[in-house]
Amino acid sequence: MAASKSGIAVGLNKGHITTVRELKQKPSYRKGALSKRTAFVRNIVREVAGFAPYERRVMELIKNSKDKRAKKLTKRRLGTFVRAKKKIDELSAVIAESRRHH
């Protein structure tokens, strides 16, 4: 941040001189962070239910090095490009994991 306040009403460092307080972290800052339980439940669901049909198709496209087509397909299914990229990374990791085991 900028230099400390000068106590003068004008200029670059204008403003009343105050002491910066150390604030307690809000619970809302945790929003979106993955808990152990959620990760565990998602893992179990993935084991039981497997992949959605579009996910299987995307994995096939990635295997055949048609990355752009795979991104387009996931973007259409999920709505945003950021979500699509995240899903592509996830599925690529699954493919890599399966290759390591075989």
Side-chain angles (χ1 to χ4, degrees):
M1 207 165 106
S4 62
K5 306 281 186 181
S6 64
I8 300 171
V10 293
L12 288 174
N13 302 322
K14 68 180 181 182
H16 187 76
I17 298 169
T18 59
T19 56
V20 180
R21 292 173 27 201
E22 197 61 45
L23 296 174
K24 208 163 70 171
Q25 201 173 26
K26 291 176 168 184
S28 64
Y29 289 146
R30 269 203 78 244
K31 187 177 192 303
L34 196 64
S35 68
K36 281 187 213 161
R37 181 188 167 89
T38 309
F40 175 71
V41 169
R42 283 185 190 163
N43 196 16
I44 297 295
V45 169
R46 174 65 80 199
E47 274 180 40
V48 173
F51 293 96
Y54 89 91
E55 288 174 329
R56 286 198 293 271
R57 187 171 154 203
V58 166
M59 285 163 74
E60 204 56 46
L61 287 169
I62 294 168
K63 282 178 192 168
N64 297 331
S65 67
K66 297 210 183 326
D67 294 355
K68 188 172 183 179
R69 173 60 53 203
K71 278 194 178 113
K72 279 184 167 189
L73 176 64
T74 44
K75 158 95 173 48
R76 288 285 298 141
R77 296 282 186 227
L78 300 176
T80 69
F81 196 64
V82 173
R83 287 177 184 172
K85 284 198 291 189
K86 195 174 173 187
K87 179 63 78 175
I88 293 274
D89 290 343
E90 182 188 315
L91 295 175
S92 298
V94 168
I95 292 168
E97 186 67 32
S98 71
R99 282 195 181 132
R100 261 185 249 127
H101 281 291
H102 289 307

